Amino acid sequence: MSTPRRHSIRDVARRASVSIATVSNVLNNPELVAEATRARVLAAIAELGFVPNGPARQLRAGRAQAVGVVVLDLANPFFTEVVRGVEDRVTEADGLVIVCSSDDNPSREARHLRMLEQQGVRGVLVTPAQASLDVLSDIRSRGTPVVLLDHTADDMCAVAVDDVRGGELAAAHLLELGHRRIAFLNGPDTIRQCADRRRGIHRAIQQAGLDPQECLLEVTLPALNADAGEASLNQLLAHRRPPTAIACVNDVVALGVLRGLRRRGMTVPDDIAVTGYDDVEFAGMLSTPLTSVRQPKYQLGHTAADLLLTESTEGTTHEHRQILFQPELVVRASSVVS
Ligand code: RIB
């Protein structure tokens, strides 16, 4: 059966013998319409199965209810937990969430942002795919509030975690265990989280009186996923001075590294220690539970959504806030023999 044409507001007006404006009032300001007329319009809506155009209707009523979220990669369980925090806070405000992945691709991110803007969303939460925030400034200048999610800024609302501290925690832990040849599997410095974690790792090594050039074997991965993590082992383990520990930029990369080491018959941490970052739900469930830097994922999303709802309500009187959460190291069997 083919999908029937959706009826328009014009069809309803014709069926109820009223103007389009009267139908719009019944939908948005029913108190302005006489009861008998309102009943006739509602009957026409029911008979035709008319579905009001949500974004357009909300725009006319000045109360768009959808919130857009653009994250780097929804397949990464870190963002799934963050978005859950967003969704719960937006649902409390009778809103709904539209979620997109940028795949660390600035042009894909820009496309999503412009489509969300055209949908008339109440505002957008973004984990930027690049250092430049020009596209975000554009949509803000046209009236769509933006809050940075898992990113720092000084001229707009932003919620992040101190990733420099997080990188430092991971490296200091491995240094304390005696590791002096540490591989760091990271993403490009254009991703703020990656750049900050790298700075933290360097800071820990320097504070231990060591030279990062000597101590660190840095690899920039083509993607922040398990396959890229596993594939990097070919290069790492063939190095003339192979690492005794591998610090990973996130838990998904660490998962791939653990899979690759297991396929090579190597034991963790006896042959090589591994640390992750995020402490997503699976980290503690693995056959070799993963040492990881825990981020307050749900709280990150919930807080960012709260800032956005506040800004979209307060408008020009709003004062931007930047909130920085602290990470914590969760030590498990992938780095310390239990
Ligand atoms: O997207 C890369 C990483 O940045 C995620 O794994 C999470 O750690 C975020 O902060």
Side-chain angles (χ1 to χ4, degrees):
M1 180 185 89
S2 64
T3 304
R5 176 182 71 85
R6 286 186 74 168
H7 284 290
S8 69
I9 193 168
R10 186 181 306 280
D11 297 333
V12 174
R14 194 175 297 123
R15 173 68 68 95
S17 305
V18 298
S19 70
I20 289 174
T22 299
V23 177
S24 177
N25 275 335
V26 168
L27 294 171
N28 298 302
N29 305 293
E31 69 283 357
L32 300 180
V33 183
E35 189 172 340
T37 306
R38 191 162 67 234
R40 205 164 71 242
V41 170
L42 291 175
I45 286 173
E47 288 159 18
L48 294 173
F50 171 67
V51 177
N53 177 332
R57 177 177 166 217
Q58 288 162 3
L59 274 177
R60 270 199 303 281
R63 52 178 192 277
Q65 293 306 316
V67 165
V69 184
V70 185
V71 295
L72 296 179
D73 178 6
L74 256 186
N76 179 340
F78 166 82
F79 290 109
T80 313
E81 292 187 46
V82 168
V83 169
R84 184 60 211 239
V86 173
E87 185 188 28
D88 284 354
R89 180 62 190 89
V90 172
T91 302
E92 284 169 17
D94 292 331
L96 82 160
V97 174
I98 304 173
V99 191
C100 324
S101 295
S102 65
D103 291 344
D104 302 354
N105 178 323
S107 54
R108 182 181 164 104
E109 175 186 275
R111 173 192 173 277
H112 288 328
L113 289 170
R114 290 199 172 89
M115 289 183 72
L116 288 167
E117 182 187 27
Q118 289 156 15
Q119 280 295 313
V121 294
R122 183 166 177 170
V124 183
L125 299 172
V126 193
T127 305
Q130 60 179 1
S132 161
L133 303 180
D134 294 346
V135 175
L136 298 179
S137 303
D138 284 350
I139 66 174
R140 288 177 74 204
S141 66
R142 293 190 291 267
T144 299
V146 174
V147 171
L148 295 185
L149 177 60
D150 193 28
H151 199 289
T152 52
D154 51 21
D155 63 346
M156 61 174 85
C157 286
V159 181
V161 179
D162 183 348
D163 281 311
V164 176
R165 178 63 183 146
E168 187 177 31
L169 286 171
H173 170 62
L174 294 172
L175 291 168
E176 282 159 20
L177 292 171
H179 295 286
R180 292 297 179 271
R181 190 67 175 151
I182 300 170
F184 177 38
L185 303 183
N186 197 12
D189 272 1
T190 49
I191 297 177
R192 191 276 314 162
Q193 297 90 323
C194 300
D196 283 358
R197 287 168 205 173
R198 181 172 184 272
R199 280 172 51 207
I201 286 183
H202 278 249
R203 187 165 75 184
I205 291 171
Q206 287 157 349
Q207 280 175 350
L210 299 166
D211 176 3
Q213 296 298 323
E214 280 301 306
C215 199
L216 211 48
L217 181 56
E218 297 192 69
V219 175
T220 300
L221 298 174
L224 303 184
N225 58 32
D227 288 344
E230 180 172 5
S232 73
L233 290 174
N234 295 325
Q235 174 188 349
L236 290 181
L237 300 177
H239 200 277
R240 59 184 176 76
R241 290 179 58 219
T244 62
I246 302 176
C248 301
V249 69
N250 68 26
D251 288 350
V252 176
V253 166
L255 185 66
V257 166
L258 290 172
R259 183 179 62 194
L261 292 172
R262 188 172 58 250
R263 285 175 172 166
R264 288 169 170 78
M266 296 178 73
T267 59
V268 175
D270 307 317
D271 293 333
I272 195 161
V274 177
T275 64
Y277 201 109
D278 295 338
D279 195 32
V280 295
E281 196 173 6
F282 71 66
M285 302 176 183
L286 299 171
S287 53
T288 304
L290 180 65
T291 291
S292 186
V293 178
R294 175 176 293 163
Q295 297 201 76
K297 299 165 282 296
Y298 181 91
Q299 195 180 3
L300 204 65
H302 197 278
T303 304
D306 190 59
L307 288 178
L308 185 71
L309 294 171
T310 303
E311 178 169 350
S312 63
T313 304
E314 292 177 348
T316 52
T317 62
H318 175 73
E319 287 187 16
H320 295 306
R321 291 178 60 202
Q322 290 79 33
I323 298 173
L324 189 67
F325 290 103
Q326 288 305 310
E328 60 174 311
L329 182 71
V330 181
V331 178
R332 298 190 177 104
S334 70
S335 62
V336 175
V337 176
S338 47

